[in-house]
Amino acid sequence: MELGRLEYLQALVTEFQVTDSTEAKEQVLANLANFAYDPSNYEYLRQLQVLDLFLDMLSEDNESLVEFAMGGLCNLCLDKTNKEYILEANGVEPIINCLSSSNEETVVSAVTTLMFLTTPRSRAQTTALPVVECMLRFSLSANKRLSNLASIFLQDYCSPPQLEEARNLSKHTAVGIPLPKD
């Protein structure tokens, strides 16, 4: 059975690489993201360089490809080996870039992934000032999923000085959503 699983995943990766059909690429990437949910597939997905494929897709113009790739990374990054790989591959920056997506699923996956990727070593990057400012804006969103997730991020991953600095910067810039008056 295990050999069959590797062969099946290899066939998906090959199909993704050789097809010219955007629809087929989207379907294959969605399937790979779903397989990334199962820890028994992690080793195969690493062997087939699917983490690199997901990271590469984050910069695509096709919003569906970005959504599925971001979802796949979110599914994979709870695993310590996968987390280290993503961090070593400079994956945080393209994930942060996904916070500006117009696709809600992409943004929710990006926030969640940043939470999962936060370690003592990566914290400076995952909670950089622009990220904290973004989370402050998201915490005010009418979208409950996003506002709750951002609030958890701010509470669990950011220090009081970081929050204060981000709030002060937000008050003095014309960028983003203004914070409510105290």
Side-chain angles (χ1 to χ4, degrees):
M1 173 59 196
E2 293 308 307
L3 185 60
R5 185 184 301 237
L6 176 61
E7 289 169 344
Y8 181 74
L9 292 170
Q10 175 66 68
L12 283 175
V13 171
T14 301
E15 182 181 349
F16 184 87
Q17 292 167 336
V18 299
T19 187
D20 290 328
S21 164
T22 301
E23 192 176 308
K25 280 189 182 300
E26 290 171 359
Q27 186 64 53
V28 169
L29 208 60
N31 284 332
L32 288 169
N34 285 336
F35 280 108
Y37 190 72
D38 183 350
S40 62
N41 293 324
Y42 290 170
E43 184 59 43
Y44 302 130
L45 294 171
R46 283 193 294 268
Q47 189 178 332
L48 297 169
Q49 299 178 319
V50 172
L51 283 91
D52 290 318
L53 176 64
F54 287 155
L55 287 168
D56 289 345
M57 290 299 105
L58 295 183
S59 59
E60 285 294 311
D61 291 332
N62 179 320
E63 193 55 57
S64 293
L65 291 177
V66 175
E67 175 189 338
F68 299 138
M70 195 64 257
L73 287 170
C74 188
N75 286 340
L76 287 168
C77 70
L78 271 176
D79 175 76
K80 188 177 182 192
T81 304
N82 293 337
K83 177 189 303 197
E84 285 303 313
Y85 186 88
I86 293 165
L87 293 172
E88 293 296 319
N90 298 314
V92 174
E93 187 178 332
I95 292 166
I96 289 171
N97 291 340
C98 289
L99 294 174
S100 63
S101 172
S102 59
N103 180 314
E104 176 187 342
E105 293 305 318
T106 300
V107 174
V108 167
S109 291
V111 173
T112 305
T113 302
L114 288 173
M115 292 164 85
F116 293 157
L117 289 176
T118 300
T119 66
R121 203 176 85 237
S122 68
R123 183 175 299 273
Q125 195 177 9
T126 59
T127 65
L129 193 55
V131 175
V132 178
E133 284 184 285
C134 184
M135 295 301 166
L136 284 168
R137 286 194 304 275
F138 287 166
S139 73
L140 303 172
S141 173
N143 179 320
K144 276 296 172 206
R145 279 176 71 203
L146 188 55
S147 67
N148 289 343
L149 200 55
S151 295
I152 291 168
F153 184 95
L154 293 167
Q155 181 179 331
D156 292 356
Y157 298 91
C158 301
S159 68
Q162 282 178 303
L163 293 173
E164 187 63 28
E165 184 179 4
R167 284 188 180 109
N168 286 337
L169 265 178
S170 295
K171 288 178 187 173
H172 301 295
T173 62
V175 183
I177 302 167
L179 294 173
K181 303 268 185 272
D182 292 333

